[in-house]
Amino acid sequence: MLRGFVAAFVMLAVLVAFTGSRARGGESPLDDADRRAFTWFDGLSIPSCAGKKYVRVTWVRKSPRPDAPPAERLWETDGFLLAENAKHRTILDADQIARKVTLTDPDWTTSITPLDLAATAEAAAARLRAMKDDPGAIEPIEAIFHGVRRLLGDEAQSLALAKHCAENKLDAQAHALLEAARSVAPTTPGKPVAPLEAAAAAQLVVPLMRRMVVDIGDVEMPRARLVERLRAWRKCFADSPHVARADEAIRILEPMAKEDAQHRAVADAALAKLAPAAQAKELVFRLRDQTGDIVDLRRGAAYLDLDRGDSPVERLAALKFDAVPALIDALTDARFSRAVLFRLDETLDRQFVARIGDVAHVALERITQQKFRDVTLTLPSMFQDGSAAATHAKWVAWWKETSAFPAALATIAAEPDAARRAALARALPDRGTGRLGGASDATWGTKSFTAAVPNLAPEAAKSLLCVVIAESPHPRTKALSAWALLDFGDESSVGSMITAWRAMDDAARGNPEQGGAVISFLAACGRAEAVAALADGLDARSPSVRELVVLALADRGFGAVRGFAADRPDGISERWSLTDAVADAVEDIVAARLTDLDEDPLGRIPRQFPICDSIPSFDCGRRIADAATRVLARRWPTRYVLRDEPVRSDTEWESLRVGFIDAWAAAKAARKPR
């Protein structure tokens, strides 16, 4: 590879053909070697710093904890101020990475101080000369460039700083810095010294490619500009093993850039007036600008964490089932989104740009609560493991069944023969929390059920639901039918689900989508006998079942984890209040798990919780007991009291958990007879 770089630089020398050094008589001290290096550097598509201020950005945490290390109190970085507006500044740092500096972070105070570029270059040159004279006494690079992350070596950093000095008419400092860098360049006996830019190229090839991958995730970075940068990188590093990656990105981004220019923008006000299907089509086009990253759930499990707010995925989720057909069509779209996975990694090993099909899949899961593919840390994208087509086929089949579900229910309702009705109910496909029919903003409530099976009297609807509960082989379909029956005011559904729960084996109970749906019903229906059924024999049940029960008994919304909803489905009335007896039963079943030390068998206990979010480096545990501790603190905060200061260590967390056991004993002793 080095021979290839050297050959390229010889060709550049012929093209540049300068007349030599002009150090005398006030002329520039830059020589031919300097100019060749700068000409090569110009081809890297690194932003010019001509006329840009050289500054130091300082972040100071407004309220650090007393024992916070220096890195949590203050952080600095040096670089050139490329652009600025009211909200942020763009800094080109010493690693030649353009960073956006947010000025409005509520936790940090940000300041920008001008620096002396000439003095910095002179100090960097003096450091290199000292390295030549006495390598053991070398000053650390961090003393010259604050905030440097050592992504580049001395040759690349020196060449970059010298180029930026020359751009700002500091030729003498630029030449001195390059001379110092050449003086410490490694040599091989019997071989000529390679040009400085050859060593710099070996150091820059990966960081520059990594930066371009990260910049794909910047919605303010035009795709046409990304294509220009990729082509420039490819020209400079034609021998790199990452050329294939650059070629793929160019192949994908170039037509996308043309589509960006040709697409007629639809203002949000105009979008809101369109029919839902037309809105979905436009929002699916906007998935190309969906941002996000990946979250590690441990044991190889993960999920795509897509940015919310006013994002395309969030707006598609708001359309609910009206967006499903367009999203299914997008599942095999292999073009780039703006979600860069593992974007904070400093190498290219794991970084991958999620495809439009990947983010469409996330939107489908949010809308439907269906799960046809597991995301893993090793292969998070459908386009890495080649599963996009198979996943698309599963969604197409599911949607076909879903669309036919109301008609199947109507067939059962119209069947007069009891045995035939039962057989038809057993043949019903499994249903998630998806639409039964009618309005897309309701699922299994009374209104939606009657819309799915029109002209059905309430008693006939109840009879139909009872048949489905009794005969369906799918626990989730049973649970959702039980919710609908309860919404009709028929409390027999509670007894039916208790019977179903007792008839299940632990493998089915511990399945988050199937057993989890039954657990959710029993936990949230507001009946003491339902909670008692969950508590009965829980100690002897599998760790997966115990975990799901604890999560389901958390606050509404707090227990909802990916693939398992611990809340009532959409469309269900909120007519049930939690009696004191039920509250006591819930507290007892959760508190009993404070001594349950099995560790997160399903990988669904969240890594961070609000009580430790301010200390992101501390993970307060994923045992079932840890989940129970958090649930108790959220549901009964005056009884299970957290200190004002966040938990910061395993010892503190264990002390808190043991204290909660004592608090539970005191609470039980103080209860009045119910």
Side-chain angles (χ1 to χ4, degrees):
M1 184 185 298
L2 187 60
R3 286 196 300 270
F5 286 140
V6 172
F9 303 142
V10 171
M11 293 179 65
L12 282 173
V14 175
L15 292 172
V16 175
F18 289 105
T19 58
S21 174
R22 298 180 297 169
R24 298 183 183 86
E27 294 181 339
S28 171
L30 297 176
D31 60 22
D32 290 352
D34 298 340
R35 292 189 173 88
R36 283 195 299 271
F38 291 162
T39 300
W40 174 81
F41 190 88
D42 285 337
L44 298 178
S45 199
I46 290 174
S48 169
C49 295
K52 305 298 183 183
K53 298 177 183 176
Y54 189 60
V55 300
R56 174 167 298 157
V57 184
T58 304
W59 291 263
V60 179
R61 185 178 284 278
K62 294 178 181 178
S63 300
R65 70 178 198 268
D67 60 342
E72 289 187 15
R73 294 172 174 271
L74 180 144
W75 186 60
E76 296 177 320
T77 191
D78 297 350
F80 291 89
L81 184 58
L82 298 180
E84 54 186 319
N85 59 35
K87 293 184 178 180
H88 65 256
R89 306 285 188 268
T90 301
I91 306 294
L92 184 73
D93 68 11
D95 292 314
Q96 302 309 292
I97 294 175
R99 301 178 182 275
K100 283 187 177 179
V101 178
T102 301
L103 303 180
T104 56
D105 192 313
D107 297 324
W108 296 82
T109 298
T110 307
S111 61
I112 297 180
T113 306
L115 297 177
D116 188 330
L117 177 58
T120 300
E122 290 163 1
R127 172 184 172 275
L128 293 172
R129 286 192 290 269
M131 180 190 298
K132 178 183 178 182
D133 296 337
D134 184 4
I138 186 62
E139 187 176 19
I141 188 64
E142 289 83 355
I144 307 297
F145 306 116
H146 285 218
V148 69
R149 295 190 300 169
R150 297 179 179 268
L151 300 183
L152 306 180
D154 286 316
E155 292 85 357
Q157 283 182 336
S158 299
L159 174 54
L161 183 61
K163 178 64 168 66
H164 300 321
C165 284
E167 289 170 340
N168 287 280
K169 301 180 180 179
L170 296 173
D171 289 0
Q173 288 81 0
H175 176 73
L177 182 54
L178 292 179
E179 284 292 295
R182 292 185 184 105
S183 71
V184 297
T187 60
T188 302
K191 293 186 178 181
V193 177
L196 178 65
E197 52 269 34
Q203 297 165 10
L204 282 163
V205 56
V206 171
L208 289 181
M209 171 55 78
R210 176 196 168 274
R211 188 64 232 173
M212 285 186 287
V213 173
V214 172
D215 283 348
I216 291 173
D218 183 355
V219 294
E220 295 183 10
M221 175 64 67
R223 291 181 180 85
R225 173 60 180 152
L226 284 168
V227 171
E228 292 175 3
R229 290 171 59 190
L230 284 161
R231 290 193 185 284
W233 179 94
R234 197 194 185 292
K235 185 176 180 180
C236 289
F237 304 109
D239 294 332
S240 168
H242 300 292
V243 163
R245 186 166 191 163
D247 289 343
E248 181 194 37
I250 293 168
R251 177 182 59 79
I252 293 173
L253 289 170
E254 195 164 38
M256 291 185 77
K258 294 178 181 177
E259 292 164 1
D260 291 340
Q262 295 168 359
H263 182 71
R264 184 176 180 181
V266 180
D268 287 346
L271 181 65
K273 297 177 182 178
L274 298 177
Q279 290 186 46
K281 183 178 179 181
E282 168 62 21
L283 290 170
V284 165
F285 179 85
R286 297 184 188 182
L287 288 176
R288 60 180 54 211
D289 286 325
Q290 176 67 50
T291 56
D293 203 339
I294 191 168
V295 171
D296 178 3
L297 290 176
R298 299 180 74 199
R299 297 178 183 169
Y303 70 91
L304 299 191
D305 183 22
L306 303 184
D307 295 335
R308 303 205 173 196
D310 194 32
S311 71
V313 162
E314 282 295 290
R315 298 182 71 172
L316 282 161
L319 289 176
K320 299 196 175 180
F321 283 78
D322 287 321
V324 166
L327 286 167
I328 290 177
D329 288 343
L331 284 173
T332 55
D333 191 335
R335 293 174 297 173
F336 288 160
S337 70
R338 297 280 192 174
V340 179
L341 311 184
F342 304 105
R343 63 181 301 274
L344 296 181
D345 282 13
E346 293 186 351
T347 68
L348 285 167
D349 296 344
R350 298 193 300 173
Q351 283 186 333
F352 188 83
V353 181
R355 304 313 205 246
I356 289 174
D358 292 319
V359 297
H361 191 265
V362 173
L364 282 168
E365 288 186 337
R366 286 189 189 172
I367 292 168
T368 67
Q369 294 298 310
Q370 298 290 326
K371 194 174 184 67
F372 292 128
R373 180 184 180 273
D374 289 323
V375 174
T376 66
L377 281 176
T378 52
L379 296 171
S381 168
M382 296 187 294
F383 299 86
Q384 289 175 296
D385 63 10
S387 65
T391 304
H392 175 260
K394 292 176 182 178
W395 279 103
V396 169
W398 174 83
W399 184 240
K400 183 178 179 180
E401 289 181 346
T402 297
S403 302
F405 202 80
L409 287 174
T411 300
I412 298 172
E415 176 57 55
D417 182 76
R420 179 63 180 158
R421 280 166 60 91
L424 289 171
R426 286 192 292 273
L428 278 173
D430 183 31
R431 290 286 291 123
T433 55
R435 176 174 58 177
L436 277 174
S440 64
D441 61 348
T443 55
W444 282 81
T446 302
K447 177 182 177 182
S448 182
F449 192 84
T450 53
V453 191
N455 304 318
L456 194 63
E459 290 305 314
K462 294 177 187 178
S463 175
L464 172 59
L465 287 165
C466 286
V467 171
V468 175
I469 293 170
E471 301 296 339
S472 173
H474 308 295
R476 178 165 53 183
T477 295
K478 286 178 180 287
L480 291 165
S481 300
W483 276 119
L485 187 58
L486 191 59
D487 204 39
F488 273 104
D490 188 335
E491 298 187 12
S492 68
S493 61
V494 177
S496 298
M497 292 313 298
I498 291 174
T499 300
W501 173 251
R502 289 171 176 162
M504 296 166 66
D505 60 27
D506 257 20
R509 291 189 188 102
N511 180 299
E513 287 75 41
Q514 296 295 329
V518 179
I519 292 171
S520 292
F521 178 87
L522 297 175
C525 69
R527 299 297 187 273
E529 62 269 30
V531 178
L534 289 176
D536 185 24
L538 186 59
D539 286 344
R541 301 211 187 280
S542 70
S544 298
V545 177
R546 303 197 306 269
E547 175 181 332
L548 288 175
V549 169
V550 169
L551 293 176
L553 290 169
D555 277 348
R556 177 179 172 87
F558 183 70
V561 238
R562 196 161 192 77
F564 167 59
D567 297 326
R568 298 181 180 96
D570 290 346
I572 302 298
S573 303
E574 295 285 351
R575 69 179 72 154
W576 305 284
S577 59
L578 192 67
T579 65
D580 290 341
V582 174
D584 289 347
V586 169
E587 181 180 7
D588 289 346
I589 196 173
V590 177
R593 305 265 62 83
L594 286 170
T595 56
D596 192 336
L597 303 182
D598 277 311
E599 186 169 336
D600 193 8
L602 294 173
R604 292 170 183 265
I605 296 174
R607 183 179 61 151
Q608 297 291 342
F609 271 68
I611 57 175
C612 59
D613 273 351
S614 61
I615 313 295
S617 61
F618 175 66
D619 179 355
C620 55
R622 297 185 189 83
R623 300 170 301 182
I624 296 172
D626 299 322
T629 303
R630 299 159 181 167
V631 170
L632 289 168
R634 284 287 299 266
R635 288 197 70 150
W636 295 277
T638 59
R639 186 175 304 157
Y640 300 96
V641 182
L642 299 172
R643 300 187 306 273
D644 291 337
E645 287 294 319
V647 176
R648 299 191 191 93
S649 70
D650 291 339
T651 302
E652 289 184 29
W653 181 252
E654 283 299 286
S655 175
L656 192 68
R657 181 181 66 85
V658 173
F660 279 16
I661 295 173
D662 296 336
W664 176 40
K668 288 196 297 183
R671 285 177 190 163
K672 297 178 181 179
R674 303 299 186 195

